Amino acid sequence: MQVASRFGLSVALTTPFDASGRIAIPLMTAHAQACLDAGCSSVTLFGTTGEGASVGTAERQPVIDAMLAAGIPADQLVAGVLVDAAEDAAEQSRQALQRGARNILLAPPSYFKNVGDDGLFGWFAAVFAALGPLARGMLLYNIPSVTTVQLSLGLIGRLRKAYPGVVAGVKDSGGDWAYSEALLKAHGDLIILIGDERHLAPAVRIGGQGAISGMANFAARELRAMIESGRDDSRVEGFVLELLRRPVIPAVKAMVARQAGDERWLTVRPPLEPVALQERQQLGAAYDRLFATQAA
């Protein structure tokens, strides 16, 4: 399948919660628009950075509807689906696709361990069958550090051959450059996106179409420049290492809170816990130190 244009940069949008634990929808829509204004080409809702595994099916539709009501076009929305039951995956996908979402970021099931390609193929096939004619724009999500499942190149090939109008691409958050490089060589005519920002520029140079990135919540301009130029940015690479020294999702929220001057962003849903004040201060100091210098 040939793609018409580069996917670009999608922010893996953080999800703000109010004091009672509900999604703070107005704050979320305002942040989505700010990320688009900063250079993102689309917004990914309910992904890993957005604590999508903690956001229930009934909570999602009001968020999508609010994004549309705020003037964000449906074709600038991607919805993450991070569940185990094929029925639930289909329902969450259906909500977004019926509203015109550009893509679904679909992770494999993660509860059962040591599953093979045949079983994974059957699970994805069940999701697509449940969606019927709605099925389209599926970005297969390779994130083995979370799911313990690495999507093999063979499985991706089987799925795209069986569902040529459905499987649109792969988001690779494995952090393994050898895999990313092999993925691009084998399936580079699909939308191949990188989740580990350290590998973004090298991937773009050999055909990668962009990224769905948590760092785009606070560093969209720098990441977009990497996608447009294919040039490495040592500041971005250095700050990824700082994030990885901490629980990444709360750390990204800490950076959004710092940039926005709004501590509401610090709230995470259990079982996650916020980053401690000292860690937030160290993270902020590292950001200032790195981004005060020019890219190498």
Side-chain angles (χ1 to χ4, degrees):
M1 182 184 74
Q2 298 296 322
V3 291
S5 61
R6 180 175 287 184
F7 181 91
L9 176 63
S10 189
V11 56
L13 199 74
T14 53
T15 303
F17 302 105
D18 64 23
S20 65
R22 294 174 298 189
I23 298 174
I25 294 179
L27 183 60
M28 190 173 181
T29 56
H31 181 52
Q33 187 60 64
C35 291
L36 292 170
D37 292 343
C40 294
S41 53
S42 63
V43 175
T44 296
L45 307 171
F46 320 125
T48 301
T49 307
E51 299 172 71
S54 296
V55 177
T57 301
E59 295 179 287
R60 293 169 170 246
Q61 181 176 325
V63 173
I64 297 171
D65 290 343
M67 294 285 168
L68 298 174
I72 297 174
D75 63 3
Q76 288 186 296
L77 295 177
V78 177
V81 174
L82 319 173
V83 292
D84 285 339
E87 179 183 355
D88 293 340
E91 178 56 29
Q92 291 186 7
S93 299
R94 185 179 295 112
Q95 285 183 351
L97 291 169
Q98 285 178 333
R99 287 161 176 77
R102 174 175 180 167
N103 295 102
I104 301 297
L105 177 62
L106 181 60
S110 60
Y111 185 84
F112 297 103
K113 309 306 178 189
N114 302 313
V115 295
D117 280 3
D118 287 345
L120 290 169
F121 182 92
W123 185 88
F124 282 108
V127 175
F128 301 156
L131 283 169
L134 276 177
R136 61 167 179 79
M138 296 290 166
L139 301 173
L140 309 178
Y141 191 5
N142 183 60
I143 183 167
S145 64
V146 175
T147 62
T148 73
V149 174
Q150 178 160 289
L151 301 179
S152 72
L153 302 184
L155 173 62
I156 294 166
R158 286 176 64 186
L159 286 167
R160 63 176 299 191
K161 182 178 180 181
Y163 301 97
V166 175
V167 175
V170 181
K171 181 196 175 185
D172 176 27
S173 292
D176 177 356
W177 173 245
Y179 174 91
S180 301
E181 188 175 30
L183 175 65
L184 281 158
K185 288 179 179 178
H187 301 296
D189 57 328
L190 295 178
I191 299 170
I192 305 300
L193 306 174
I194 301 299
D196 187 328
E197 294 88 351
R198 294 172 295 179
H199 298 156
L200 177 55
V204 168
R205 291 196 291 267
I206 60 171
Q209 287 210 26
I212 297 177
S213 166
M215 271 191 71
N217 282 280
F218 55 87
R221 290 180 176 86
E222 291 82 359
L223 291 165
R224 177 170 175 169
M226 293 173 72
I227 292 170
E228 291 179 345
S229 69
R231 292 170 59 183
D232 297 314
D233 188 329
S234 61
R235 302 168 301 175
V236 169
E237 294 162 11
F239 199 68
V240 170
L241 295 176
E242 293 293 336
L243 288 172
L244 291 174
R245 293 188 181 104
R246 299 159 175 89
V248 172
I249 296 168
V252 169
K253 281 192 150 178
M255 288 303 302
V256 175
R258 182 178 190 262
Q259 192 173 77
D262 188 341
E263 292 196 350
R264 289 181 293 175
W265 283 104
L266 297 175
T267 303
V268 292
R269 273 190 173 167
L272 298 182
E273 299 176 357
V275 174
L277 175 60
Q278 183 178 6
E279 286 288 308
R280 299 201 306 268
Q281 292 171 337
Q282 292 173 351
L283 193 61
Y287 180 86
D288 290 344
R289 181 177 67 253
L290 286 164
F291 284 86
T293 63
Q294 294 298 314

